[in-house]
Amino acid sequence: MTRHLSAVHRCLGIGLLGMMIGPAFLQAQAQTVSTTSSSAMPPGIERSSFGQLPDGREVDCYRITNDNGIEMRVINYGGIIVSLKTPDRAGRMDDIVLGFDSIGDYLSDTYRQANPYFGALIGRYGNRIANGRFTLDGETYHLPTNDGPNTLHGGDVGFNQRLWHAEPFSSAEGRGLVLTYTSADGEQGFPGRLSTRVRYTLTNDDELAIDYRARTTRATPVNLTQHSYFNLKGEGSPSILDHQLMINASAYTPVDETLIPTGEIADVSGTPFDFREPTAIGARLGQKNTQLAYAKGYDHNFVLSKNPGQDDLPTLAARVLEPRSGRVLEVATTEPGLQFYSGNFLDGSLTGKSGRPYTHRSGLALETQHFPDSPNQPNFPSTILRPDETYHSQTIYRFSTTASENQLATD
Ligand code: BGC
């Protein structure tokens, strides 16, 4: 038994064979969904106006609650999760994601300049594509470059800035929203008309299960993800550096100065990227390390450890514990990678829902995904979707609490 497997085992308190996190986690993927026409809301879901886009289109906000009182608010603009309230160990509810209460804040110049993608669905290609180009089946495609020389999160106008069609639903497992968006052939330079369907389910087992599907008319790269920033003390709290993080990965993909992977799959052993044992996020950020310097902190893709033969099932990717509140967030996914971003570019210029500024490293993102720049990296798992295939990816965020501050250390 390797050291890191037993550490993961201990921190989850489950058997190694059950490393996919337990039955409730898995059931969320098999639910039968019945959607409701948008005029009749299922119980536990309320719709209200979130304002208008500059072209006059209405943005709707869906408030979804589960049987235990966890509450999530989602807007159809960008599929953005604008708030998510979960209990701490004493039962006190706090909003644990960064975001805003009005559409104007998501459209402001200050927000666009900072470009943090708070809470949004990311597509067609989450993360970076080097130099805004790739070659597929002998043809070279050019994309808008919006992050130095590279394309980030789908280009200038990604899925995070699109108005999605939303259908609320209620099922045996919970309540949620099915969001659909059709991206035109050639949109942001990508080939193929891509029909995308994302289902958010807030389950009665306190999970947010996200199911992504897409079909295309021509071969195209697809890499969808969700870009929520968490602060388990509550959004607006100044730092995530004392959150304890475990990432189920023994390798990561080092990057160059522009955050494009070099192609190497590097062992995390003996580096600040070894999160196989739960470690405070801030513990090694001060170390002299070229990778940390390039990204101004953590902004790296981790190569997730998978159980043999279980690539199609959500497996544990990460676990975060905030000692004071006792809140725990677990992430399981079918994806091979996880971008851990420590909020390095937050600088206090944006003020959140509670009226407090979102300061440096006051939120963290755990973006499940294929590896960055895969269309240009032949040794990475392929992100190419072809017309005879269906893109399917699942990620589950599970919310719980621990009784003791030291639970991760003593489990
Ligand atoms: C990227 C960061 C970027 C952030 C907000 C993350 O997914 O890796 O480099 O700053 O998104 O755009």
Side-chain angles (χ1 to χ4, degrees):
M1 186 82 39
T2 64
R3 196 175 72 94
H4 93 269
L5 280 182
S6 52
V8 169
H9 175 199
R10 275 206 313 279
C11 96
L12 273 178
I14 55 172
L16 282 176
L17 287 176
M19 238 183 79
M20 289 123 33
I21 302 206
F25 234 27
L26 294 178
Q27 276 159 17
Q29 64 185 304
Q31 58 186 259
T32 325
V33 170
S34 59
T35 55
T36 313
S37 83
S38 12
S39 49
M41 286 300 125
I45 305 185
E46 287 166 18
R47 188 182 58 201
S48 59
S49 170
F50 202 72
Q52 281 185 346
L53 296 179
D55 63 10
R57 286 178 298 164
E58 286 290 332
V59 178
D60 292 325
C61 179
Y62 294 84
R63 179 173 169 270
I64 303 167
T65 44
N66 79 355
D67 287 352
N68 308 320
I70 290 188
E71 181 209 281
M72 171 171 95
R73 288 189 308 141
V74 181
I75 56 174
N76 55 345
Y77 175 77
I80 296 174
I81 298 174
V82 298
S83 70
L84 179 60
K85 291 184 183 153
T86 71
D88 69 4
R89 69 159 70 82
R92 184 192 128 119
M93 302 299 277
D94 280 305
D95 186 350
I96 60 165
V97 295
L98 277 54
F100 305 115
D101 271 335
S102 86
I103 192 66
D105 289 319
Y106 288 101
L107 301 175
S108 75
D109 289 344
T110 322
Y111 184 73
R112 282 169 189 242
Q113 268 151 30
N115 225 357
Y117 298 83
F118 285 159
L121 288 176
I122 306 292
R124 199 179 282 204
Y125 195 94
N127 218 311
R128 292 172 174 81
I129 295 181
N131 300 310
R133 66 168 181 263
F134 63 92
T135 300
L136 175 58
D137 298 338
E139 195 167 333
T140 299
Y141 295 91
H142 297 272
L143 314 170
T145 50
N146 58 340
D147 187 66
N150 305 319
T151 302
L152 176 66
H153 296 333
D156 285 338
V157 189
F159 289 8
N160 58 300
Q161 290 182 56
R162 305 287 178 182
L163 195 64
W164 294 60
H165 177 76
E167 289 288 346
F169 70 86
S170 166
S171 68
E173 285 77 23
R175 303 174 186 114
L177 214 52
V178 175
L179 292 154
T180 48
Y181 173 68
T182 300
S183 167
D185 189 353
E187 187 178 287
Q188 299 294 295
F190 288 100
R193 182 164 162 270
L194 190 78
S195 309
T196 315
R197 173 185 176 279
V198 179
R199 187 179 69 201
Y200 288 139
T201 310
L202 182 60
T203 76
N204 292 322
D205 295 310
D206 299 345
E207 301 152 346
L208 167 59
I210 310 180
D211 182 278
Y212 304 86
R213 283 173 202 268
R215 297 272 300 174
T216 185
T217 54
R218 291 165 65 201
T220 190
V222 185
N223 194 26
L224 305 177
T225 191
Q226 221 291 333
H227 211 289
S228 283
Y229 288 62
F230 296 94
N231 185 322
L232 300 185
K233 282 197 187 103
E235 59 83 30
S237 298
S239 173
I240 45 85
L241 296 182
D242 53 359
H243 287 43
Q244 301 264 327
L245 174 65
M246 187 284 296
I247 302 180
N248 185 15
S250 45
Y252 77 112
T253 51
V255 289
D256 66 14
E257 310 83 313
T258 72
L259 305 190
I260 293 293
T262 60
E264 187 193 355
I265 307 277
D267 192 335
V268 296
S269 304
T271 76
F273 296 87
D274 190 348
F275 280 98
R276 290 173 295 185
E277 299 279 2
T279 309
I281 290 171
R284 295 165 298 185
L285 272 171
Q287 285 185 17
K288 214 167 173 259
N289 176 285
T290 313
Q291 287 296 313
L292 290 179
Y294 282 162
K296 301 186 172 50
Y298 294 104
D299 195 354
H300 292 82
N301 170 64
F302 287 74
V303 178
L304 295 172
S305 301
K306 296 280 175 182
N307 301 332
Q310 294 183 337
D311 283 2
D312 292 343
L313 295 175
T315 49
L316 177 69
R319 186 174 197 258
V320 192
L321 164 75
E322 195 288 295
R324 199 182 68 192
S325 65
R327 286 194 181 87
V328 175
L329 167 67
E330 283 166 323
V331 185
T333 187
T334 53
E335 286 298 310
L338 178 80
Q339 182 86 2
F340 164 44
Y341 171 54
S342 54
N344 313 316
F345 298 113
L346 297 175
D347 60 4
S349 59
L350 299 168
T351 299
K353 291 161 277 190
S354 51
R356 284 173 288 180
Y358 289 142
T359 50
H360 191 48
R361 301 195 178 127
S362 61
L364 68 101
L366 295 167
E367 304 152 53
T368 56
Q369 56 171 19
H370 271 56
F371 305 170
D373 196 35
S374 295
N376 294 308
Q377 307 256 359
N379 60 325
F380 288 176
S382 171
T383 51
I384 304 304
L385 179 71
R386 296 190 178 272
D388 58 344
E389 299 167 340
T390 299
Y391 173 97
H392 186 209
S393 166
Q394 292 169 280
T395 290
I396 300 159
Y397 294 94
R398 183 163 66 166
F399 311 103
S400 60
T401 55
T402 74
S404 134
E405 288 212 358
N406 297 319
Q407 180 154 334
L408 276 184
T410 55
D411 257 357

